[in-house]
């Protein structure tokens, strides 16, 4: 019942986890605002939803155009008269050695995953404070808790989210606003195809671990009850999730294991 009739704004709704969340939340009776850069794909996601004319709206945006996100928030608020839950899910990954990745590609990852996400959240939370309630969810990653090869900027952007959203939680909890950080392990989406290589061009290949991972539909079904239960940080995935706990117990041991592992 948590999601029924709630207005839920999902970024990164055109594919993967965001798309699966849209279908799951649509079945649970939510009103949806779907955002990403590709409005054609968003229209297709909308068409796949039940009763879409009344309950699903499209709002095209690019998270890296941070100066436009205040106006985008105003537009989003007008679509259904407010936003109850913001799902900050849009993001890009990286596949490049730290020393080889151009600064421009590093900035691009930070721009989308951190600055754009934070800027959108700031505007939406101002509105939630006025209303006296709201829920902000952000898709981090296991890479928000540990580091491996080829993902330095990605891991940095996701680690930064933990710092920012943990502080935000302390500031807004008394105002009726909940903050949830979601840390997926491998999920079978196109994230690695879009991952930035050293020169900033997309990898265009699906990672081996992702090919064998859980589908975004299964992921969304596991995730939604945990969010409605009010969890502050959520880990969902395969064996890779244990790395988060091992990092707490013995970071040195985790590093030794990761150094020997084949990481793609
Ligand atoms: N799949 C995994 O194994 C995994 C693991 C851990 C964390 N995650 C996180 O899960 C989230 C969703 O990723 P996914 O796996 O579902 O990958 P995906 O299928 O590539 O989806 C990424 C989404 O982000 C949107 N996006 C990318 N750049 C954007 C921008 N500049 N402005 C607005 N939207 C943008 C994309 O839409 P457009 O191209 O239409 O803009 C797309 O809808 C990401 O934050 C990712 O870091 C994924």
């Amino acid at each position: 019942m948590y999601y029924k009739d709630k207005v839920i704004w999902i970024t990164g709704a055109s594919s993967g986890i965001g798309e699966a969340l849209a279908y799951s939340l649509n079945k649970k009776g939510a009103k949806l605002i779907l955002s990403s850069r590709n409005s054609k794909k968003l229209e297709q996601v909308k068409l796949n939803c039940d009763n879409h004319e009344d309950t699903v709206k499209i709002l095209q945006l690019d998270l890296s155009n941070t100066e436009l996100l205040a106006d985008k928030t105003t537009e989003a608020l007008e679509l259904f008269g407010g936003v109850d839950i913001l799902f900050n899910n849009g993001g890009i990954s990286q596949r490049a050695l730290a020393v080889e990745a151009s600064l421009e590609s590093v900035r691009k990852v930070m721009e989308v995953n951190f600055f754009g996400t934070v800027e959108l959240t700031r505007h939406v939370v101002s509105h939630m404070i006025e209303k006296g309630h709201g829920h902000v969810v952000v898709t981090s990653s296991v890479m928000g808790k540990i580091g491996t090869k080829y993902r330095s900027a990605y891991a940095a952007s996701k680690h930064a989210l933990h710092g920012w959203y943990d502080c935000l939680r302390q500031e807004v909890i008394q105002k009726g606003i909940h903050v949830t950080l979601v840390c997926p392990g491998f999920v079978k989406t196109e994230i690695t195809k879009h991952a930035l290589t050293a020169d900033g061009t997309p990898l265009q290949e699906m990672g081996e671990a992702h090919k064998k991972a859980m589908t975004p539909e299964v992921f969304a079904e596991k995730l939604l009850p945990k969010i409605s239960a009010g969890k502050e940080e959520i880990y969902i995935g395969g064996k890779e999730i244990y790395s988060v706990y091992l990092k707490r117990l013995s970071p040195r041991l985790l590093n030794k294991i990761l150094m020997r592992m084949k990481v793609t």
Side-chain angles (χ1 to χ4, degrees), residues 11-18 35-38 41 61-64 88-93 108 112-113 139-142 154 158 183-191 194 210:
T11 67
S14 63
S15 68
I17 294 172
S35 290
S36 81
R37 292 163 303 176
N38 189 328
K41 277 193 179 173
L61 61 75
D62 185 336
L63 286 166
S64 60
N88 291 291
N89 170 75
I92 46 170
S93 192
K108 175 80 183 166
V112 177
N113 294 1
T139 313
S140 170
S141 169
V142 165
Y154 181 69
K158 297 296 189 181
C183 302
F186 295 117
V187 184
K188 192 176 181 181
T189 69
E190 306 219 317
I191 187 98
H194 307 142
H210 290 81

Side-chain angles (χ1 to χ4, degrees), residues 1 39 45 80-81 85 90 102 104 115 120 131 143 145 169 187 192-193 202 206 208 211 227 238:
M1 290 301 284
S39 36
V45 176
F80 291 109
I85 304 176
S102 65
E104 203 187 331
F115 293 113
L120 190 68
K131 279 203 315 181
M143 283 299 122
K145 307 299 280 185
R169 183 185 295 112
V187 184
T192 51
K193 285 194 184 175
M206 193 186 263
E208 287 307 314
K211 285 182 193 161
I227 292 172

Side-chain angles (χ1 to χ4, degrees), residues 211-224:
K211 285 182 193 161
K212 298 178 220 145
M214 79 172 74
T215 64
E217 292 76 21
V218 170
F219 178 83
E221 286 307 316
K222 284 178 187 272
L223 175 62
L224 291 177

Side-chain angles (χ1 to χ4, degrees), residues 3 5-9 31-33 76 80 82-86:
Y3 301 104
D5 296 325
K6 293 256 166 70
V7 179
I8 305 180
W9 188 3
K31 294 177 186 148
L32 300 178
I33 304 169
F80 291 109
V83 169
D84 299 305
I85 304 176
L86 172 64

Side-chain angles (χ1 to χ4, degrees), residues 22-256:
Y23 300 144
S24 242
L25 289 165
N26 170 255
K27 293 267 183 284
K28 293 184 194 310
K31 294 177 186 148
L32 300 178
I33 304 169
L34 307 180
S35 290
S36 81
R37 292 163 303 176
N38 189 328
S39 36
K40 243 182 160 174
K41 277 193 179 173
L42 292 172
E43 283 296 341
Q44 192 51 56
V45 176
K46 175 177 173 170
L47 287 176
N48 294 339
C49 290
D50 297 338
N51 192 21
H52 54 261
E53 282 309 333
D54 295 331
T55 61
V56 184
K57 310 276 183 201
I58 303 295
L59 182 58
Q60 191 268 344
L61 61 75
D62 185 336
L63 286 166
S64 60
N65 283 340
T66 45
E67 68 287 359
L68 299 182
L69 296 177
D71 288 347
K72 290 288 176 184
T73 303
T74 307
E75 278 181 58
L77 294 174
E78 282 165 1
L79 291 173
F80 291 109
V83 169
D84 299 305
I85 304 176
L86 172 64
F87 256 101
N88 291 291
N89 170 75
I92 46 170
S93 192
Q94 183 196 32
R95 286 298 179 277
L97 291 171
V99 288
E100 291 178 2
S102 65
L103 185 57
E104 203 187 331
S105 72
V106 172
R107 278 193 206 281
K108 175 80 183 166
V109 172
M110 291 300 293
E111 236 9 282
V112 177
N113 294 1
F114 183 71
F115 293 113
T117 298
V118 160
E119 182 63 356
L120 190 68
T121 300
R122 279 190 339 103
H123 296 300
V124 177
V125 168
S126 299
H127 146 79
M128 288 174 171
I129 289 172
E130 274 172 33
K131 279 203 315 181
H133 65 89
H135 197 151
V136 177
V137 183
V138 59
T139 313
S140 170
S141 169
V142 165
M143 283 299 122
K145 307 299 280 185
I146 67 162
T148 66
K149 291 173 195 161
Y150 309 118
R151 294 159 169 84
S152 49
Y154 181 69
S157 70
K158 297 296 189 181
H159 274 71
L161 290 176
H162 285 263
W164 198 86
Y165 284 86
D166 279 347
C167 294
L168 177 73
R169 183 185 295 112
Q170 299 285 317
E171 293 169 4
V172 298
I173 188 75
Q174 306 289 1
K175 298 179 166 74
I177 298 159
H178 296 276
V179 175
T180 303
L181 280 142
V182 179
C183 302
F186 295 117
V187 184
K188 192 176 181 181
T189 69
E190 306 219 317
I191 187 98
T192 51
K193 285 194 184 175
H194 307 142
L196 301 190
T197 58
D199 64 4
T201 55
L203 183 69
Q204 292 181 326
E205 276 171 33
M206 193 186 263
E208 287 307 314
H210 290 81
K211 285 182 193 161
K212 298 178 220 145
M214 79 172 74
T215 64
E217 292 76 21
V218 170
F219 178 83
E221 286 307 316
K222 284 178 187 272
L223 175 62
L224 291 177
K226 292 183 194 295
I227 292 172
S228 54
K231 292 205 179 299
E232 293 179 352
E233 203 164 285
I234 298 169
Y235 312 119
I236 300 172
K239 290 196 297 273
E240 63 280 7
I241 297 299
Y242 297 123
S243 60
V244 177
Y245 302 106
L246 186 53
K247 170 111 189 206
R248 287 182 206 156
L249 287 169
S250 174
R252 203 176 151 84
L253 177 60
L254 177 65
N255 276 330
K256 277 191 179 159

